[in-house]
Amino acid sequence: MTRVLIVGAGPAGIRAAETCVKAGLHPVVVDEAKQAGGQIYRRPSIETNYGAKGRYGSEAAKAVALHRCFDQMVAKGQLTHLPHSSVTSIGQNNAQILTDDGIQCLRFERLILATGAGDRLLPIPGWQSAGVFSLGAMQIALKTQEAALGRRLVLAGTGPLLTLVAAQLIKAGADVLAVLDTAPMRQQLKGAWAMAMARPIVTLRGGYLRSVIGRRYHAGVNTLSIKTNKRGPTHLHWHDHKGQQHQTPCDAVGLGWHLMADTQLADLVGAQFEWSPEWSQWLPTIDKVGRIGKGVYLAGDGTRILGADAAECAGHIAASACLADMSLSPELNKRVLRRYARMRRFASGLATAFQLPQDLMKQLPGDTVVCRCEGVTVNDITKAAQRVGIEINRVKSQCRVGMGRCQGRYCQFAASQVLAGIGQTAPREVGRLRAQPPIRPVPISAVLNSECVKEQP
């Protein structure tokens, strides 16, 4: 039996593994990528001309340090790395892992989930078209293959990823025509004060990114829609903060409204959830060291959207708590705790600066697609709610929203907003989609050949 299983090899997972290794343990680390680094420090899948500085910018030194740390532990045989693998189901001390060779069963004593976060997408008319991507997808293509997903690009949404991806694309030579931020400038300045008090250098770095974007950047935009043809986007229609209408020609669009914590595995292992007004999402309930129950710990953006630096701290803290519960008595670095508290203050300011647009979802036409996997529209959700009420799991059973390949990762939030509007209530009253195994698509052949299945009565 594996003593410690770590899911995720981003900043949180790497530091958790390092803490366990220093205590003399041999953890198993499962990650969906082929190399450790997470989304933020993702490494190229092919040889490119990009160096670390070009790929990670001001974070290059941190990225290289994390890569080296993990690679050295693997080379020395201090941990077992299962790359290109997904935990599809997890229960009490037992995980089913989909690898290139099929499904592997793994028993463990302790579990550290460092699952990270993904793009938060809001539906706008035309977003289901080919040529419309998440901001994260655009950044991954740039980092791993030095490719811009389109010739004439428009980026829209809000949050730090919006300006970061825009600046990275511009520096790489891509033709970015407009960067449309739905957060009003007044709101951004309100949050920027708290951000600057916690991390002044990082806040100034955000101002530098704005200077790279220049006059392409517009704050407080609304009423977004994408005009398309058979090949994809042709124009993005939008209104500026003064209410004036614009249309920007494009052949690719990147969308993203900050990030959503990936909490499905936490749900499967019994985490309790609470609605966070600050982050406008359901988040798992943890104690101050990331513990959610006996033998289970959460770290990184899978608990709160705090960023890569905070994820490193959280990984160390959660692993230290795990070791303490195993009577290995590690010394928890108080400096890490203070740094983590400062990161939380910064993230709180970030959430204030880039709040979600309240009116965008209210303006959607009935034929707007909400769930791209299943083609579910606003009208479909409305009709389902009229039959069974606004509870999201009941609506899911009626119209298949959240039943597609992404398992609700991209449509759950939008569907909740639609249902809240129908019921004229708060999104928290709609509830949240319950996670169901497998949380990733699994080939039928892998299931039939799995020893995990054969062992079951």
Side-chain angles (χ1 to χ4, degrees):
M1 177 183 286
T2 297
R3 298 207 70 184
V4 178
L5 172 63
I6 300 172
V7 182
I14 292 174
R15 292 306 182 200
E18 179 189 36
T19 303
C20 290
V21 166
K22 286 181 177 179
L25 295 180
H26 183 102
V28 174
V29 182
V30 180
D31 192 55
E32 294 184 346
K34 290 186 177 181
Q35 294 178 292
Q39 299 290 9
I40 185 67
Y41 299 139
R42 179 181 283 266
R43 291 191 253 186
S45 55
I46 60 174
E47 290 295 328
T48 68
N49 296 320
Y50 253 6
K53 185 66 176 177
R55 187 172 297 113
Y56 309 115
S58 60
E59 303 294 298
K62 296 177 184 177
V64 171
L66 277 171
H67 295 163
R68 185 183 300 115
C69 172
F70 191 85
D71 291 347
Q72 287 178 349
M73 289 188 290
V74 172
K76 293 177 181 178
Q78 295 173 317
L79 59 78
T80 297
H81 181 210
L82 299 180
H84 206 228
S85 302
S86 299
V87 177
T88 61
S89 179
I90 198 164
Q92 186 70 29
N93 303 118
N94 184 50
Q96 295 185 19
I97 303 169
L98 180 64
T99 70
D100 291 335
D101 298 323
I103 293 179
Q104 174 181 342
C105 300
L106 186 66
R107 294 188 61 78
F108 55 85
E109 291 183 18
R110 307 280 170 168
L111 174 67
I112 300 175
L113 295 177
T115 49
D119 294 276
R120 169 153 49 191
L121 301 178
L122 297 181
I124 63 176
W127 80 302
Q128 74 277 13
S129 169
V132 181
F133 307 92
S134 71
L135 293 174
M138 286 195 158
Q139 187 183 52
I140 288 171
L142 183 64
K143 284 181 178 179
T144 61
Q145 300 180 18
E146 296 185 20
L149 298 179
R151 293 183 177 88
R152 298 179 302 167
L153 312 178
V154 175
L155 309 185
T158 196
L161 190 61
L162 176 68
T163 49
L164 175 60
V165 173
Q168 289 174 334
L169 285 166
I170 291 168
K171 286 185 174 181
D175 188 10
V176 178
L177 301 181
V179 180
L180 310 176
D181 197 328
T182 57
M185 186 56 70
R186 180 179 298 177
Q187 188 68 34
Q188 293 187 42
L189 292 174
K190 181 179 178 181
W193 174 254
M195 293 161 59
M197 293 295 291
R199 304 184 70 188
I201 295 177
V202 175
T203 305
L204 288 173
R205 196 176 295 154
Y208 166 72
L209 295 178
R210 292 281 179 87
S211 69
V212 173
I213 299 169
R215 298 181 65 180
R216 304 175 184 86
Y217 181 83
H218 304 271
V221 305
N222 57 74
T223 320
L224 299 165
S225 65
I226 303 170
K227 185 174 179 59
T228 66
N229 59 23
K230 292 181 179 180
R231 295 184 176 181
T234 61
H235 295 80
L236 195 145
H237 295 262
W238 52 284
H239 289 75
D240 62 24
H241 69 283
K242 295 180 180 179
Q244 296 180 339
Q245 185 174 354
H246 303 264
Q247 63 174 16
T248 305
C250 59
D251 56 29
V253 176
L255 300 175
W257 280 264
H258 215 338
L259 300 172
M260 288 283 286
D262 189 335
T263 61
Q264 290 186 313
L265 287 179
D267 195 359
L268 291 185
V269 294
Q272 299 297 310
F273 286 79
E274 59 185 358
W275 175 260
S276 170
E278 183 176 45
W279 293 105
S280 298
Q281 57 187 277
W282 291 95
L283 295 173
T285 302
I286 58 175
D287 66 13
K288 62 181 181 180
V289 292
R291 188 186 292 107
I292 67 169
K294 184 178 180 180
V296 183
Y297 314 82
L298 306 186
D301 283 350
T303 63
R304 303 291 185 275
I305 310 299
L306 304 181
D309 291 345
E312 289 190 54
C313 296
H316 170 73
I317 293 168
S320 297
C322 173
L323 294 171
D325 291 346
M326 297 172 74
S327 300
L328 296 179
S329 301
E331 184 177 344
L332 185 57
N333 192 319
K334 293 182 179 180
R335 181 170 172 269
V336 172
L337 288 172
R338 290 195 297 270
R339 189 164 181 257
Y340 186 59
R342 181 161 54 88
M343 303 292 177
R344 290 179 68 95
R345 293 196 299 273
F346 175 82
S348 182
L350 202 66
T352 299
F354 300 108
Q355 291 183 351
L356 291 172
Q358 297 300 313
D359 297 330
L360 193 62
M361 297 294 295
K362 298 177 182 179
Q363 303 166 351
L364 293 177
D367 61 353
T368 303
V369 171
V370 174
C371 173
R372 299 207 305 184
C373 295
E374 296 291 317
V376 180
T377 65
V378 171
N379 283 338
D380 295 330
I381 294 174
T382 301
K383 291 176 182 177
Q386 290 171 349
R387 292 193 296 269
V388 298
I390 63 170
E391 201 280 322
I392 192 167
N393 290 284
R394 293 181 179 179
V395 171
K396 171 185 175 180
S397 70
Q398 294 288 307
C399 67
R400 295 191 59 82
V401 63
M403 285 180 128
R405 184 179 180 87
C406 84
Q407 293 287 286
R409 287 177 178 82
Y410 295 118
C411 63
Q412 175 176 187
F413 177 79
S416 298
Q417 295 290 317
V418 171
L419 290 171
I422 294 170
Q424 296 184 342
T425 187
R428 66 178 301 169
E429 301 302 324
V430 173
R432 62 181 183 85
L433 289 178
R434 293 184 292 270
Q436 302 286 343
I439 64 167
R440 290 282 192 272
V442 177
I444 296 297
S445 59
V447 176
L448 294 177
N449 296 325
S450 169
E451 294 299 325
C452 303
V453 176
K454 293 177 182 178
E455 290 173 1
Q456 294 179 0

